[in-house]
Amino acid sequence: MKTRVISAIVMIALAAVLIYFGDIYFGVAIFLVSLIGLYEFYKAFKSKGVKPVYVLGYIYTLLIPVATFMKPSNALEIPVNGTNIFPAVQVIIMLVLLVLMVVAHKKVTPLDGAVTLLGAFYVPFLFSFFVLTRNMTDGLVLLIIGILGSVAADTFAIFAGLLWGKKKLIPEISPKKTIAGSVGSFVGSVIALVIYGLILHYGGLMEEPVSVLHFAILGLIMGGTSQIGDLSASAMKRYCGIKDFGKLIPGHGGILDRFDSMLFNVPMVYCYIHILRALS
């Protein structure tokens, strides 16, 4: 427990500094975290006999920060002489993977290809939304929504499960998860984000204010997506026969073990706020 607490304090302090300053420092940090996370993902499936094409996954990981740095407002654009070449590069990566499945069919199976692409979208693509959200107007407070919602959902789920958890949620995937914990995830996320929204509202801390109602809605959404992130990670680990994706963070496991719920929640914040602002 002591090791877990110390690791958490160090992570929070480092993350707070990087998030606050943003810009290239935060972008580079997310890029490195994506590389490590993708390595953990591929290594997990490799233990099951799958052989992901590492190099293609890493190339895709490199494309994400290039896209976000060249056009911070859009993750899917790499402008060259006024033309977006990102879709073309994605097609080329897919084509190379399909060619490998043909010319090297004894070494690269369709399952290998599927896991290669799943890893690329699950890790670097979802992590890219951390940078995109930070680059938005009010990006600092918006990114905190995704982090706070995740932490609150996980924390309330644990305590609700300990206090009232009798009936298991999906024991085949995660034996410790309970229905009470699932409900607690929603409640905790909503309470935390409503309080946060009230502080921002009365403190006048946003350039483009968002009503507290939308904080409550985001809390409900993230109460669900936190569990999807957690349970999907558990399903993959159970399939691969491992307890954790890695051991990089003492007491917490690997990068993916620590960020499994945030990987879904931060993109939700980005998409929700973008849609909200587009409709207003």
Side-chain angles (χ1 to χ4, degrees):
M1 179 60 73
K2 182 180 179 181
T3 300
R4 184 179 178 86
V5 172
I6 293 174
S7 297
I9 293 173
V10 172
M11 283 191 301
I12 291 171
L14 180 59
V17 171
L18 291 170
I19 291 171
Y20 178 78
F21 286 103
D23 202 37
I24 191 170
Y25 308 104
F26 185 57
V28 170
I30 291 298
F31 170 62
L32 294 176
V33 165
S34 297
L35 281 178
I36 297 170
L38 187 61
Y39 172 77
E40 291 176 353
F41 184 88
Y42 286 160
K43 183 180 179 182
F45 279 89
K46 190 175 181 180
S47 68
K48 190 67 175 178
V50 182
K51 300 185 290 292
V53 184
Y54 281 68
V55 65
L56 289 181
Y58 293 148
I59 289 174
Y60 192 85
T61 305
L62 181 60
L63 286 176
I64 298 299
V66 169
T68 53
F69 289 147
M70 293 186 73
K71 192 160 185 179
S73 62
N74 196 324
L76 302 178
E77 287 192 33
I78 299 181
V80 176
N81 293 328
T83 301
N84 176 24
I85 68 168
F86 193 85
V89 175
Q90 286 185 304
V91 170
I92 291 172
I93 290 176
M94 174 64 81
L95 183 61
V96 170
L97 188 58
L98 293 175
V99 169
L100 286 174
M101 287 166 53
V102 174
V103 300
H105 59 275
K106 292 183 178 180
K107 294 183 178 180
V108 181
T109 68
L111 180 58
D112 299 332
V115 170
T116 300
L117 292 179
L118 176 60
F121 277 91
Y122 179 62
V123 185
F125 178 71
L126 292 181
F127 263 124
S128 73
F129 284 91
F130 284 66
V131 178
L132 291 168
T133 304
R134 182 62 181 86
N135 288 342
M136 295 173 69
T137 302
D138 297 313
L140 178 59
V141 297
L142 293 176
L143 183 56
I144 291 174
I145 291 175
I147 297 172
L148 179 61
S150 302
V151 173
D154 292 345
T155 302
F156 273 69
I158 291 172
F159 282 106
L162 290 174
L163 293 173
W164 302 293
K166 293 182 179 180
K167 190 171 182 180
K168 301 298 182 181
L169 184 63
I170 310 177
E172 297 82 5
I173 293 179
S174 186
K176 294 182 179 181
K177 296 290 189 299
T178 64
I179 293 178
S182 177
V183 174
S185 180
F186 286 99
V187 174
S189 185
V190 170
I191 290 175
L193 291 189
V194 167
I195 293 173
Y196 182 55
L198 288 170
I199 292 172
L200 294 176
H201 176 74
Y202 287 107
L205 300 176
M206 295 186 71
E207 291 183 40
E208 297 184 24
V210 176
S211 75
V212 177
L213 173 62
H214 291 295
F215 279 84
I217 294 172
L218 278 168
L220 280 173
I221 293 173
M222 286 192 280
T225 50
S226 285
Q227 297 180 68
I228 292 172
D230 193 346
L231 289 168
S232 61
S234 295
M236 287 186 280
K237 286 186 285 188
R238 184 164 289 274
Y239 173 81
C240 294
I242 59 175
K243 183 178 182 294
D244 296 312
F245 277 109
K247 299 180 180 179
L248 180 65
I249 309 171
H252 293 268
I255 291 294
L256 298 182
D257 298 298
R258 182 64 275 171
F259 288 91
D260 52 8
S261 59
M262 292 184 200
L263 274 175
F264 287 83
N265 284 343
V266 173
M268 285 298 166
V269 174
Y270 176 86
C271 294
Y272 186 92
I273 296 299
H274 257 290
I275 293 172
L276 181 64
R277 288 175 175 174
L279 295 176
S280 62

